[in-house]
């Protein structure tokens, strides 16, 4: 009896293990998927995308069938997945929009979404897991074959987004996306049309990146999104929530549509009925679509509203406008206004109106902006954080305007994006994040970083190590582990050098300025040694990229060129062109070196536009707006001498403190030498140095030019030895000269002149943060 009982026990434990192996994808083996009827279009769209990926990876087909190994469902659709999910996961899903649970049980995989988009993200998580890059089409990222991939029984994943609406804004599309779409990818007889085939690719990318929101291109050169047949339907198919920018209320691109559908002037004050009719026509068209309605008004194209000149007149007009727009929404879309997403964007003069006490309805999201150069202008106050509609951020990695455009290469520092957006999130901006990506290319990595944060704000460890790991993981996915470490060093240096000064800013020119001295390329305030050091730094990473390109596998060469080689070598050559020209103007270099760099950029761009049998023809313009900085340079002599370099006798990066009080300052990799640190309010860091013979010194403190978080000031306290501390404020006024210099150099500088006690050899400098957002980059000490 005992032996029989023992055998019975052994069999009872062994049989489940034999019956239920791991869930396994296998090369050449078809797989079935099932989901109940009544699922929304985006779910079928996600299945179609994953089916394509599955075939590419495993050389097999994903079939719909009753004997399915993958069971999909959405809450409320009575799916088998919903019946089998554990209670704890079910309760979590119920309280989170766009979440999903993915688990393996008894050799079957289940995916359950909290809503239609959650289900779609769950399905496309499988694409990520089998190794397909979100950039498989947009950056020609190669899809690797696999023999098998297994998920153990008991595997569980439950995710939901940190930010409610997450997406991108196609902007300044004149030089890339519009000509590429209308002439190359989706040729149209209608000039400037960006059609549904193009938008299908954009929306697939957004789904793969777990985004849900989109602001369409809106420049005058482009046909408006809703004026092109098929665009709206494509957004519905992919489950994308279409919104519009700060100057496009009620889903209308006034810049292009008013001259077609408007009557009279776009002037609410003096032409109210026609303006309201213009808006309401669009609202009625979109009855069954997912949209975010921008409230308020500005001019036809990013200008001041018409018909109201003073702030008081603008205040009264916008108050009336919002009331009319809300009535329109309630009458045409939903009497319950809280069910229709709405946003108000206090930008430029509208911010001044808001600050006058404008009453924005509590259910409307307030969306704050950066200063176009990555520094957020306003963080939600406690009262704004408590609003039902919440807060959002509109952020730039591409910009057309003063003091200078950056439309060619995407060089915003990842640590700047991270620190600014993390602070915004912590301050309550959790409801809408929109990134101005220009033409999408070449901003691929920064776009993914931004949207990864929006999906899971805690996915990146809050320090340099975490940011390095995110970038390294991305590089590993795209090019493989053997190259990731070298590439991480290259890309960190690429972003560091551009943080000192973006390639587009290297001509010392400015755009949209009246002063003629900014129209032509002139010397930067750098010495010969500084110029040669920068050339050498760029040469080093450019040569490394050329070396690595020989080892990159053939199937990854297109992605390599688009994501790494073109931006790194392009930035290097533009710097070489302008810096050798500066030396040549002083007889310190040959003009041929500058001209060779220009020719190199031209050749690199030609290669870009002929990649993949011309897939990207018309996408990459290395002379956006034909600005002087991009041209061959006139061979002239300089009438003024090169700057003489004055070396400080001591230099400290922010992370070179010897001690601190409070929370240890955090390094994220920002700074001219990647050594900047964030110092929390009330904490301080101490730096020590030995003085030379002279007793008078000049201390130069350089900080990231962040903007105030609360109030109007951003301050630090500096104390030298036992001297009385000095309080220093470094906030800037909107678009003044100091702000322009700050954003062009990514430093705000303050000078302190003092005398030291000659009897004391060892000295200290203590920097204390008096406000939030203080990021100390460098301290330099000069003898006087």
């Amino acid at each position: 009896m005992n032996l029989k009982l023992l055998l019975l026990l052994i069999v009872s434990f062994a049989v489940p293990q034999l019956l239920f192996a791991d869930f396994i994808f296998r090369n050449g083996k078809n797989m079935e998927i099932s989901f109940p009827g009544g699922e929304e279009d985006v779910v079928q769209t996600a299945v179609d995308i994953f089916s394509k990926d599955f075939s590419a990876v495993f050389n097999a087909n994903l079939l719909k069938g009753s004997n399915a190994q993958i069971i999909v469902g959405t809450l409320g659709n009575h799916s088998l997945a919903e019946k089998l999910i554990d209670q704890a996961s079910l309760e979590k899903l119920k309280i989170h929009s766009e979440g999903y649970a993915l688990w393996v049980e008894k050799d079957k995989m289940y995916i359950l979404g909290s809503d239609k988009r959650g289900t779609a993200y769950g399905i496309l998580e499988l694409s990520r897991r089998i190794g397909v890059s979100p950039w498989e089409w947009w950056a020609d990222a190669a899809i690797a074959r696999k023999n098998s991939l297994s998920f153990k029984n008991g595997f569980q994943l439950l995710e939901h987004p940190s930010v409610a609406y997450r997406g991108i804004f196609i902007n300044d599309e004149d030089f890339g996306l519009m000509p590429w779409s209308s002439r190359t990818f989706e040729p149209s007889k209608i000039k400037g049309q960006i059609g549904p085939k193009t938008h299908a690719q954009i929306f697939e990318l957004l789904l793969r990146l777990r985004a849900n929101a989109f602001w369409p291109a809106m420049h005058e050169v482009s046909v408006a999104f809703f004026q092109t047949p098929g665009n709206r339907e494509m957004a519905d198919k992919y489950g994308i929530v279409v919104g519009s920018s700060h100057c496009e209320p009620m889903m209308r691109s006034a810049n292009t549509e008013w001259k077609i559908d408007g009557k009279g002037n776009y002037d609410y004050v003096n032409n109210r009925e026609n303006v309201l009719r213009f808006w309401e026509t669009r609202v009625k068209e979109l009855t069954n679509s997912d949209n975010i309605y921008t409230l308020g008004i500005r001019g036809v194209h990013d200008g001041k509203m018409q018909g109201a000149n003073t702030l008081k007149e603008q205040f009264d007009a916008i108050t009336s406008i919002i009331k009319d727009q809300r009535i329109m929404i309630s009458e045409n879309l939903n009497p319950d206004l809280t069910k229709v997403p709405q946003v108000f964007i206090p930008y430029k003069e509208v911010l001044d109106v808001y600050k006058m006490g404008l009453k924005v309805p509590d259910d409307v999201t307030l969306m704050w902006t950066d200063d176009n150069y990555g520094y957020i202008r306003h963080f939600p106050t406690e009262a704004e954080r408590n609003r039902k509609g919440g807060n959002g951020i509109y952020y730039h990695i591409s910009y057309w305007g003063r003091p200078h455009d950056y439309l060619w290469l995407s060089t915003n520092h990842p640590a700047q994006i991270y620190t600014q957006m993390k602070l915004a999130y912590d301050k309550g901006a959790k409801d809408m994040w929109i990134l101005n990506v220009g033409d999408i290319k070449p901003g691929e990595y920064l776009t993914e970083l931004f949207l990864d944060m929006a999906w899971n704000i805690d996915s990146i460890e809050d320090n340099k190590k975490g940011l390095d790991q995110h970038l390294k993981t991305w590089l590993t996915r795209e090019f493989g582990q053997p190259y990731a470490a070298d590439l991480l060093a290259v890309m960190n240096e690429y972003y560091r050098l551009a943080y000192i000064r973006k390639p587009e800013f290297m001509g010392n020119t400015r755009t949209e300025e009246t002063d003629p001295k900014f129209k032509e390329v002139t010397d930067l305030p750098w010495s010969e040694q500084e110029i040669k050091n920068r050339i050498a730094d760029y040469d080093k990473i450019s040569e490394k990229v050329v070396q690595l390109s020989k080892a990159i596998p053939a199937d990854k060469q297109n992605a390599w060129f688009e994501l790494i080689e073109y931006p790194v070598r392009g930035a290097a050559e533009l710097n070489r062109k302008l810096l050798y020209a500066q030396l040549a103007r002083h007889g310190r270099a040959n003009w041929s070196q500058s001209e060779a760099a220009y020719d190199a950029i031209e050749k690199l761009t030609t290669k870009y536009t002929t990649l993949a049998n011309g897939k990207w023809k018309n996408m990459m313009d290395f002379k956006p707006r034909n600005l002087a900085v991009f041209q061959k340079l006139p061979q002239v002599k300089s009438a003024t001498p090169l700057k003489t370099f004055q070396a400080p006798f001591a230099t400290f990066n922010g992370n070179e403190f010897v001690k601190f009080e409070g929370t240890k300052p955090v390094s994220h990799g920002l700074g001219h030498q990647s050594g900047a640190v964030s110092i929390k309010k009330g904490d301080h860091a101490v730096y020590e140095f030995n003085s030379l013979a002279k007793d008078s010194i000049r201390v130069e403190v350089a900080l990231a030019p962040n903007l105030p978080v609360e109030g109007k000031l951003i301050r630090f306290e500096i104390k030298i030895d036992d001297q009385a501390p000095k309080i220093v404020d470094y906030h800037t006024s909107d678009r003044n000269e100091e702000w322009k210099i700050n954003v062009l150099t990514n430093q705000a500088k303050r000078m302190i002149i003092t005398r030291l006690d000659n009897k004391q050899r060892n000295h200290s400098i203590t920097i204390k943060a008096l406000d939030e957002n203080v990021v100390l980059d460098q301290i330099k000490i000069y003898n006087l």
Side-chain angles (χ1 to χ4, degrees):
M1 288 292 293
N2 289 339
L3 180 60
K4 287 182 179 180
L5 180 60
L6 180 61
L7 289 171
L8 181 62
L9 289 171
I10 290 172
V11 170
S12 66
F13 281 106
V15 167
Q17 300 303 316
L18 293 171
L19 290 176
F20 304 119
D22 296 336
F23 177 88
I24 303 176
F25 293 113
R26 285 192 174 90
N27 184 54
K29 184 178 179 181
N30 294 341
M31 187 162 282
E32 291 189 2
I33 187 171
S34 70
F35 50 91
E39 288 285 356
E40 299 279 358
D41 288 349
V42 67
V43 174
Q44 180 64 62
T45 300
V47 169
D48 292 342
I49 295 170
F50 174 63
S51 178
K52 176 180 63 174
D53 295 343
F54 176 77
S55 295
V57 174
F58 295 107
N59 193 29
N61 296 317
L62 185 69
L63 309 171
K64 190 172 181 180
S66 57
N67 191 30
Q69 294 94 356
I70 304 175
I71 295 94
V72 175
T74 303
L75 284 183
N77 223 10
H78 309 294
S79 66
L80 179 60
E82 186 170 358
K83 293 174 184 176
L84 294 180
I85 191 172
D86 66 275
Q87 191 63 34
S89 297
L90 179 62
E91 293 306 316
K92 286 181 182 178
L93 276 184
K94 285 181 178 179
I95 62 173
H96 291 294
S97 298
E98 300 189 354
Y100 68 85
L102 189 156
W103 74 98
V104 175
E105 181 180 341
K106 297 180 181 178
D107 74 2
K108 293 184 183 293
M109 178 170 284
Y110 297 88
I111 301 170
L112 181 65
S114 62
D115 51 35
K116 63 183 182 181
R117 276 182 282 272
T119 305
Y121 299 140
I123 294 165
L124 291 176
E125 178 63 21
L126 295 182
S127 289
R128 289 172 170 266
R129 297 275 168 166
I130 66 175
V132 178
S133 167
W135 302 97
E136 55 85 30
W137 192 88
W138 275 96
D140 300 305
I143 299 177
R145 295 275 193 189
K146 282 185 170 63
N147 288 323
S148 66
L149 181 68
S150 64
F151 294 79
K152 291 202 174 288
N153 275 300
F155 172 86
Q156 289 185 321
L157 181 67
L158 196 154
E159 293 192 323
H160 57 83
S162 295
V163 177
Y165 293 104
R166 316 161 302 282
I168 65 172
F169 177 24
I170 301 295
N171 195 219
D172 307 323
E173 69 278 5
D174 312 43
F175 318 102
L177 193 126
M178 184 279 293
W180 166 79
S181 173
S182 63
R183 299 177 202 164
T184 304
F185 181 64
E186 192 176 2
S188 173
K189 293 180 182 179
I190 301 174
K191 186 178 179 181
Q193 191 170 76
I194 305 173
K197 182 181 174 185
T198 300
H199 283 105
Q201 293 295 347
I202 295 173
F203 297 155
E204 179 175 327
L205 174 66
L206 292 180
L207 277 186
R208 289 181 181 275
L209 292 172
R210 298 170 296 200
N212 61 4
F214 179 67
W215 289 0
M218 47 72 72
H219 272 210
E220 195 170 8
V221 297
S222 301
V223 177
F225 179 84
F226 289 111
Q227 296 278 3
T228 299
N231 280 349
R232 172 196 169 185
E233 292 76 10
M234 199 59 72
D236 293 340
K237 177 181 176 182
Y238 284 83
I240 299 300
V241 186
V242 180
S244 54
S245 72
H246 59 93
C247 53
E248 303 172 273
M250 304 304 288
M251 302 308 305
R252 275 289 198 175
S253 177
N255 190 32
T256 55
E257 293 189 271
W258 179 259
K259 57 180 172 283
I260 299 171
D261 295 334
K263 184 177 180 181
N265 292 325
Y266 187 60
D267 179 347
Y268 173 87
V269 176
N270 300 297
N271 193 22
R272 177 174 175 270
E273 292 305 316
N274 284 321
V275 171
L276 291 179
R277 189 178 300 112
F278 174 69
W279 290 336
E280 190 165 29
T281 301
R282 176 57 42 74
V283 173
K284 288 180 176 179
E285 290 174 0
L286 301 179
T287 303
N288 297 314
S289 294
D290 291 337
N291 299 105
I292 303 168
Y293 287 86
T294 298
L295 304 184
I297 193 172
R298 295 197 73 234
V300 170
H301 178 59
D302 204 5
K304 185 173 72 71
M305 68 177 292
Q306 298 178 32
N309 296 317
T310 67
L311 276 178
K312 179 62 168 61
E313 289 173 346
Q314 292 168 7
F315 180 95
D316 292 341
I318 292 176
T319 299
S320 178
I321 286 166
I322 290 175
K323 181 179 178 181
D324 281 344
Q325 290 169 334
R326 301 262 287 175
I327 291 171
M328 193 179 297
I329 290 171
S330 66
E331 290 179 348
N332 292 284
L333 299 176
N334 196 321
D336 185 354
L337 286 166
T338 65
K339 302 297 184 184
V340 181
Q342 299 155 68
V343 62
F344 181 74
I345 309 172
Y347 185 59
K348 296 187 178 178
E349 80 283 347
V350 180
L351 178 60
D352 296 327
V353 172
Y354 174 80
K355 289 179 177 178
M356 286 180 66
L358 181 74
K359 301 298 182 186
V360 179
D362 191 58
D363 60 285
V364 175
T365 300
L366 294 175
M367 191 168 209
W368 309 103
T369 70
D370 68 342
D371 63 353
N372 308 312
Y373 294 84
Y375 298 101
I376 295 175
R377 300 175 65 185
H378 177 93
F379 295 87
T381 64
E382 183 178 357
E384 290 159 351
R385 287 194 290 273
N386 290 328
R387 300 177 72 262
K388 185 175 181 179
N391 296 267
I393 297 290
Y394 165 45
Y395 199 83
H396 292 75
I397 59 168
S398 175
Y399 182 63
W400 170 332
R402 293 172 292 183
H404 202 287
D405 307 355
Y406 56 101
L407 300 173
W408 179 38
L409 299 179
S410 187
T411 56
N412 294 56
H413 201 294
Q416 182 190 12
I417 296 171
Y418 176 83
T419 53
Q420 289 285 291
M421 295 308 300
K422 179 64 164 59
L423 178 59
Y425 183 88
D426 291 343
K427 288 294 180 181
K430 303 178 179 181
D431 295 274
M432 190 181 304
W433 284 17
I434 299 293
L435 184 67
N436 184 328
V437 298
D439 302 302
I440 297 177
K441 303 178 73 64
E444 294 94 339
Y445 173 67
L446 298 182
T447 300
E448 187 163 348
L449 170 65
F450 181 92
L451 292 175
D452 278 356
M453 289 183 66
W455 176 257
N456 182 357
I457 195 67
D458 296 320
S459 62
I460 300 170
E461 191 177 352
D462 189 13
N463 52 36
K464 186 179 189 305
K465 180 181 177 182
L467 282 164
D468 278 353
Q469 186 57 56
H470 185 274
L471 178 53
K472 188 175 182 181
T473 298
W474 190 83
L475 293 167
T476 300
R477 185 189 71 199
E478 300 302 341
F479 305 110
Q481 184 65 42
Y483 312 104
D486 284 343
L487 277 176
L488 177 64
V490 167
M491 296 311 294
N492 274 337
E493 184 70 347
Y494 168 75
Y495 289 121
R496 182 188 75 85
L497 291 169
Y499 185 75
I500 294 171
R501 201 169 184 97
K502 286 182 179 296
E504 294 92 338
F505 302 167
M506 288 298 298
N508 205 25
T509 52
R510 296 190 189 175
T511 52
E512 301 177 13
E513 298 252 359
T514 56
D515 192 330
K517 73 179 181 180
F518 293 126
K519 301 297 182 184
E520 297 180 359
V521 171
T522 56
D523 288 357
L524 288 167
W526 292 349
S527 68
E528 181 176 1
Q529 189 58 52
E530 289 172 296
I531 290 170
K532 288 182 175 179
N533 288 345
R534 186 170 173 88
I535 291 173
D537 287 340
Y538 267 114
D539 283 350
K540 185 177 179 180
I541 60 171
S542 182
E543 289 163 7
K544 186 65 176 179
V545 164
V546 171
Q547 174 193 339
L548 287 171
S549 68
K550 298 171 184 175
I552 297 296
D555 65 339
K556 296 181 184 293
Q557 281 289 334
N558 285 350
W560 169 261
F561 190 81
E562 294 165 44
L563 298 173
I564 304 294
E565 186 168 356
Y566 184 83
V568 171
R569 293 184 63 196
E573 294 297 350
L574 188 61
N575 273 267
R576 287 167 59 86
K577 184 190 83 169
L578 292 156
L579 293 175
Y580 276 127
Q582 180 165 341
L583 293 176
R585 284 193 290 272
H586 297 271
R588 310 288 179 89
N590 294 321
W591 279 103
S592 60
Q593 292 169 290
S594 174
E595 295 193 343
Y598 175 91
D599 293 341
I601 296 170
E602 202 165 40
K603 289 176 183 177
L604 286 166
T605 306
T606 298
K607 181 176 179 179
Y608 199 117
T609 58
T610 55
L611 285 176
N613 298 316
K615 177 180 177 179
W616 301 114
K617 184 179 180 182
N618 296 308
M619 175 60 85
M620 187 55 64
D621 184 340
F622 74 96
K623 295 181 180 179
R625 289 222 282 171
N626 281 316
L627 300 177
V629 68
F630 300 121
Q631 310 302 325
K632 275 192 176 181
L633 302 174
Q635 297 186 17
V636 296
K637 290 185 178 181
S638 178
T640 57
L642 274 173
K643 175 191 168 187
T644 301
F645 179 67
Q646 180 188 5
F649 77 76
T651 299
F652 302 100
N653 291 309
N655 61 2
E656 293 174 330
F657 52 85
V658 294
K659 56 185 176 181
F660 62 91
E661 190 168 301
T663 305
K664 184 179 180 179
V666 180
S667 173
H668 290 94
L670 270 179
H672 280 211
Q673 292 296 327
S674 303
V677 289
S678 299
I679 306 177
K680 285 193 174 183
K681 180 180 178 180
D683 295 347
H684 66 241
V686 181
Y687 305 84
E688 294 180 349
F689 65 97
N690 296 326
S691 68
L692 299 181
K694 295 183 179 179
D695 57 1
S696 294
I697 61 169
R698 182 178 86 248
V699 179
E700 177 185 284
V701 183
L703 307 103
N706 294 333
L707 301 173
V709 175
E710 294 180 353
K712 297 181 179 180
L713 305 179
I714 181 166
R715 301 162 301 160
F716 67 92
E717 178 186 274
I718 181 170
K719 182 180 179 183
I720 301 173
D721 294 337
D722 294 324
Q723 297 176 15
K726 295 181 180 179
I727 294 175
V728 182
D729 171 43
Y730 58 102
H731 86 277
T732 54
S733 301
D734 190 32
R735 295 201 173 200
N736 69 0
E737 180 63 19
E738 184 183 5
W739 170 80
K740 292 175 184 178
I741 294 171
N742 286 358
V743 297
L744 290 171
T745 62
N746 282 312
Q747 281 190 337
K749 293 182 179 180
R750 289 294 182 267
M751 308 289 183
I752 295 92
I753 296 175
T754 190
R755 294 176 65 87
L756 298 177
D757 182 352
N758 264 337
K759 298 176 183 178
Q760 182 179 339
R761 180 164 175 76
N762 298 319
H763 302 276
S764 66
I765 294 177
T766 302
I767 303 290
K768 180 180 180 180
L770 299 181
D771 295 293
E772 291 184 85
N773 217 12
V774 171
V775 175
L776 176 62
D777 186 356
Q778 292 179 312
I779 301 171
K780 295 181 179 180
I781 307 171
Y782 299 86
N783 276 315
L784 291 180

